[in-house]
Amino acid sequence: MSGVDLLTVGEALVSLRSSGPLLAGGPLSMHLAGAESNVAIGLARLGHRAAWVGRVGGDELGEFVLRQLRAEGVDTTAVRRDPARPTGLMFLERRTADVSRVQYHRAGSAGSALTVDDLRGPLAAGPRMVHLTGITPALSDSAREAAGWAARAAADAGIPVCLDVNHRAGLWSREAARATLFPLAGYASVVVASTDELDLVAQAGADEAAAAAGLLRRGVRTVLVKLGADGVRAYTAEGVRHVAAVPVTAVDTVGAGDAFTAGYLSGHLDGLDLVDRLGRAVTLGAFAVAGHGDWEGLPRRDELSLITGSAAGTTLR
């Protein structure tokens, strides 16, 4: 696993998707899902060497996860197959044209059994950057310990850490999330959060500017606040920059935040300046919402200009 640009740590699941209400029955399609694996795929499609580490079950679903990741060029050599636990499962139903609902079946999953020992080798190999989310530490005590250890070990080794808050209310309360994520953010170089997540890594009750300022004082170098259709605000020691979203017709917002993060980290790894990193981030976010699926519509490097350089309705021949 030497030479990895980005190491992502977390749980990958199998997503079964329905185009209508689950209770009405109908066909389900099978997909790979998971915030960290989405980011890994986004980086791999842009030509970076990305690795994902976690656990999958010793079942057919676990093999499906690994086959999908390998097909996308993601390094899975450090993934552990756990024969005693199942691969996590989620059901996604499109309830209306604008509303989708998710049900998880991940309690006791292989992914939730992640341990520090699963991460020692991948971290020792010296990735250029480590990506974590607030989902992993919510899965179990051992996963929480592993995520904390990874952040500390990477920071101690001089490896930049990106933390995407990615709060999941179904996994833990805001109070429990804050107790874990506030100290975790102190090891990060980049913190990514939506406006309603910032107080989980900052002083409770602080407004956006105060929360970002507090994170910068703690050593975070860049605070990215995702604004959805309004783009992104970035806080650094040099000030605040806002970049607008790329206008597209949105058909599926699932995975948009992960795509945004992948775009920003790609720009960071390529040595782009802040504005160009943000531009790549909102471009990947636009690709994500303009197509169906968590990651299926993400671009290759030679496709980055398809959205920004083409008029709506364009057919390229």
Side-chain angles (χ1 to χ4, degrees), residues 20-40:
L22 287 170
L23 61 82
L28 296 169
S29 56
M30 188 169 166
H31 304 263
L32 167 67
E36 299 83 6
S37 56
N38 290 344
V39 171

Side-chain angles (χ1 to χ4, degrees), residues 306 310 313-317:
L306 283 179
S310 302
T314 297
T315 299
L316 301 178
R317 302 181 184 275

Side-chain angles (χ1 to χ4, degrees), residues 283 287 299-311 316:
T283 297
F287 270 99
R300 309 290 180 188
R301 188 172 287 263
D302 62 358
E303 296 175 323
L304 284 171
S305 63
L306 283 179
I307 285 182
T308 57
S310 302
L316 301 178

Side-chain angles (χ1 to χ4, degrees), residues 14-17 28-32 60-61 64 68 296:
V14 170
S15 171
L16 298 177
R17 298 178 188 164
L28 296 169
S29 56
M30 188 169 166
H31 304 263
L32 167 67
E60 294 301 311
L61 298 183
F64 172 80
Q68 291 290 100
E296 286 86 342

Side-chain angles (χ1 to χ4, degrees), residues 1 7 9 53 78 114-127 145-146 149-150 152-154 159:
M1 191 175 278
L7 176 68
V9 175
V53 61
L114 185 74
T115 69
V116 171
D117 285 342
D118 294 329
L119 308 182
R120 294 187 189 278
L123 259 295
E145 181 186 7
W149 178 87
R152 292 190 300 273
I159 300 170

Side-chain angles (χ1 to χ4, degrees), residues 108-196:
S109 70
S112 70
L114 185 74
T115 69
V116 171
D117 285 342
D118 294 329
L119 308 182
R120 294 187 189 278
L123 259 295
R128 291 177 60 193
M129 196 159 198
V130 170
H131 173 65
L132 304 169
T133 78
I135 300 172
T136 304
L139 297 177
S140 68
D141 290 344
S142 69
R144 183 160 54 254
E145 181 186 7
W149 178 87
R152 292 190 300 273
D156 288 347
I159 300 170
V161 174
C162 173
L163 173 64
D164 186 344
V165 176
N166 228 330
H167 180 245
R168 295 291 187 267
L171 289 174
W172 55 358
S173 69
R174 295 186 71 85
E175 292 71 24
R178 184 179 294 109
T180 294
L181 299 180
F182 182 90
L184 196 64
Y187 298 102
S189 297
V190 179
V191 169
V192 184
S194 56
T195 53
D196 64 340

